[in-house]
Amino acid sequence: MNLRLLAAVLALVVPLGACDGGGGGSPAAATTKLGFLVKQPEEPWFQLEWAFADKAQAELGFTLVKIGVPDGEKTLSAIDNLAAQGAAGFVICTPDVRLGPAIAAKARSHKMKLIAVDDRFLGADGQPMQDVHYLGISARAIGEDVGRALAAEAQRRGWKNEELGVCVVTYDELDTARERTDGARAALRAAGVPDARVFLAPEKAPEIPAALDATNALLSQHADVKQWLVCGMNDNSVLGAVRALEGRGFDADHVIAIGINGTDCIEELRKAKPTGFYGSMLLSAREHGHRTISMLHAWCKDGVEPPLDTRTTGILITRSNFEQVLAEQGVTR
Ligand code: FCA
């Protein structure tokens, strides 16, 4: 609590102090204001992106405005609001990738710079907007890592590829989600798991309750399966599936589930009694929060344009190494 308070106080004080040193003019005139808009501010992943953006603010001396944008209306009014405050640009994880053209047009109308993070904008033609600067994960490769890790652990336990079931919690509306689960499926196939053992559970939203519902529907159809592998687009999708499996009596000995993010499963991995949630691909919230806003800052302040497309990697964390890796990566203290 005290640390949080200290962080809040620093966030207010540091930008003014920092720009006193570098700007030359009055502090208010020299400070660049930047926005960071995220679709699900309640998700630990996005809270960490913000926390790393806060660090960049403290180091570089700009003013950061963080806004949660759960829907299209809130997104467009948040951009107007930023413009009214004199912001020079913003980083955004949009609540809907099809808002891309509207967000880009609004940024242009206000002469604001823009970087999309995590979820890539789609144009009116349904294709990624390649002219909008983007930083996201190497979704296919990270999904493949999940598939390989699932297959390796199943093999270690002596599970038979022809008998186990794979529950793939899909969210195909989002390219980065589809690429992740497609990658996992491809790696499982390459490891010898027959396609006929792979079952899809489409979730309505990338959230625990939606994944739980989707998995329950799937499990009703496959009551004969005794050992399950689980993958999905992120930790919450996989956690929902693990909860559904627990509801039907499947414990850690009968489930191997691997998430993506690594930030939304910390409590799960800390549980004294292991659950079916075996591990996660830890993404770099530092790159997504600190690097995006730093690139935006350099672009707005010094005219240094960032690369159009930047991709980040992941690291597998399990119960045996997560505390150490999370601490090394600056996710936990
Ligand atoms: C998407 C997901 C998040 C996170 C991010 C990198 O936005 O919804 O949970 O995985 O990509």
Side-chain angles (χ1 to χ4, degrees):
M1 280 305 150
N2 280 341
L3 275 177
R4 226 177 250 171
L5 186 64
L6 180 67
V9 172
L10 280 177
L12 290 172
V13 171
V14 170
L16 295 176
C19 96
D20 267 340
S26 78
T31 304
T32 306
K33 190 175 271 189
L34 304 173
F36 203 125
L37 281 49
V38 302
K39 64 177 181 178
Q40 289 168 292
E42 72 289 348
E43 199 179 74
W45 167 256
F46 292 108
Q47 289 169 11
L48 262 163
E49 273 186 357
W50 271 353
F52 279 110
D54 276 334
K55 284 197 174 165
Q57 167 184 238
E59 289 161 20
L60 297 168
F62 56 85
T63 299
L64 183 66
V65 183
K66 294 173 288 192
I67 310 175
V69 289
D71 59 43
E73 206 178 314
K74 293 211 170 64
T75 303
L76 298 177
S77 70
I79 300 169
D80 285 337
N81 192 300
L82 281 172
Q85 295 183 49
F90 58 95
V91 172
I92 181 167
C93 179
T94 174
D96 182 345
V97 286
R98 290 165 305 180
L99 285 170
I103 296 170
K106 200 164 254 312
R108 221 177 300 121
S109 77
H110 290 306
K111 299 195 167 39
M112 291 165 95
K113 305 254 192 300
L114 148 72
I115 297 178
V117 70
D118 299 339
D119 297 0
R120 198 173 193 191
F121 291 179
L122 293 184
D125 58 359
Q127 296 304 309
M129 292 178 70
Q130 299 190 7
D131 54 340
V132 173
H133 295 73
Y134 171 68
L135 182 145
I137 68 166
S138 316
R140 169 95 189 181
I142 287 172
E144 287 171 359
D145 285 344
V146 169
R148 271 190 293 271
L150 286 172
E153 179 60 14
Q155 200 187 13
R156 199 188 63 79
R157 296 186 189 187
W159 294 7
K160 293 205 174 63
N161 282 339
E162 300 70 29
E163 288 173 13
L164 54 76
V166 184
C167 166
V168 185
V169 182
T170 59
Y171 188 63
D172 286 352
E173 290 82 345
L174 191 59
D175 280 352
T176 181
R178 187 177 29 75
E179 289 166 18
R180 298 173 198 191
T181 46
D182 281 358
R185 292 169 68 184
L188 286 164
R189 188 180 305 127
V193 177
D195 282 349
R197 302 309 297 163
V198 178
F199 310 114
L200 307 186
E203 58 182 349
K204 293 209 172 73
E207 292 161 5
I208 292 177
L212 190 142
D213 288 349
T215 307
N216 265 329
L218 179 81
L219 295 178
S220 309
Q221 295 162 23
H222 299 285
D224 55 312
V225 179
K226 304 285 183 288
Q227 293 157 329
W228 282 99
L229 305 183
V230 183
C231 59
M233 72 163 286
N234 60 12
D235 288 339
N236 283 343
S237 304
V238 171
L239 282 169
V242 169
R243 296 288 92 88
L245 280 156
E246 281 169 352
R248 288 168 191 250
F250 288 91
D251 61 11
D253 291 336
H254 299 87
V255 177
I256 307 167
I258 300 186
I260 293 177
N261 279 5
T263 52
D264 309 25
C265 58
I266 302 175
E267 295 311 315
E268 183 77 7
L269 292 173
R270 280 183 179 155
K271 285 181 179 169
K273 187 168 185 282
T275 70
F277 195 95
Y278 174 78
S280 179
M281 290 299 298
L282 175 67
L283 308 180
S284 177
R286 175 168 231 287
E287 292 280 289
H288 289 235
H290 190 289
R291 184 154 165 210
T292 49
I293 202 78
S294 303
M295 291 194 309
L296 182 70
H297 179 248
W299 193 12
C300 293
K301 190 165 167 286
D302 306 319
V304 182
E305 187 181 342
L308 269 169
D309 191 347
T310 307
R311 299 302 172 116
T312 61
T313 55
I315 312 170
L316 180 67
I317 55 170
T318 64
R319 286 178 76 91
S320 57
N321 71 352
F322 77 99
E323 291 288 11
Q324 188 197 332
V325 178
L326 290 172
E328 278 165 13
Q329 299 299 315
V331 174
T332 52
R333 281 182 276 262

